[in-house]
Amino acid sequence: MSKIKHYETMFILKPTLTEEETVGQIESIRAIIEKNGGEIISFDNVGQRELAYEIEKCKRGYYYVIYFQGNPAGIAEIERNYRMNENLIRFIFIKYDSKKEIASWTKMSDEAAKKANK
């Protein structure tokens, strides 16, 4: 069995989604992560931002970051689901390995949790 790793995923949703559709997309993404062995530690709604360049005729997007722990084998399946989602403009996964990186991940995760609880 693989060791549990620390991950961060950032994704951008299309700005044309309604609030209900956005909430549905976020719940769907959270469910995909949990279904593939991930344990969500914190979630950060960064908000709507200007994109550096136009993507799929969108100049803006809703940015979200999820900090989670999971099995490396589950990342490929989560990524496959992301690619099939037409409402995701872009996404990235970042794996934190070293003690220094994990300390940084913990700090960012804690800050996101505090922000969400305000």
Side-chain angles (χ1 to χ4, degrees), residues 1 9 11 22 25 28 33 41 46 53 56 66-67 73 79 82-86 96-97 112-114:
M1 173 137 183
T9 180
F11 55 92
T22 302
Q25 287 295 316
S28 170
I33 291 170
I41 305 302
V46 181
Y53 52 90
E56 296 178 18
I66 297 178
Y67 298 94
E79 187 172 328
Y82 275 22
R83 290 189 191 287
M84 292 186 334
N85 188 335
E86 296 175 353
Y96 294 85
D97 275 332
K114 286 178 189 172

Side-chain angles (χ1 to χ4, degrees), residues 18-111:
T18 65
E19 190 172 332
E20 294 82 26
E21 290 171 330
T22 302
V23 169
Q25 287 295 316
I26 292 166
E27 289 305 314
S28 170
I29 289 168
R30 290 174 83 126
I32 289 166
I33 291 170
E34 289 171 351
K35 184 178 124 190
N36 289 287
E39 178 189 347
I40 296 173
I41 305 302
S42 62
F43 173 83
D44 190 9
N45 177 352
V46 181
Q48 190 177 47
R49 300 261 172 108
E50 190 85 22
L51 300 174
Y53 52 90
E54 192 172 299
I55 305 171
E56 296 178 18
K57 299 183 182 178
C58 296
K59 294 182 180 182
R60 299 183 70 76
Y62 291 107
Y63 284 68
Y64 297 93
V65 179
I66 297 178
Y67 298 94
F68 68 101
Q69 295 175 328
N71 189 330
I75 297 300
E77 181 62 19
I78 296 169
E79 187 172 328
R80 187 184 73 77
N81 280 279
Y82 275 22
R83 290 189 191 287
M84 292 186 334
N85 188 335
E86 296 175 353
N87 294 310
L88 257 103
I89 299 173
R90 285 284 187 272
F91 65 88
I92 189 170
F93 287 94
I94 301 170
K95 179 172 75 173
Y96 294 85
D97 275 332
S98 71
K99 287 183 180 182
K100 187 175 180 180
E101 289 174 339
I102 292 171
S104 175
W105 178 90
T106 302
K107 182 180 177 194
M108 291 184 296
S109 175
D110 290 346
E111 288 173 5

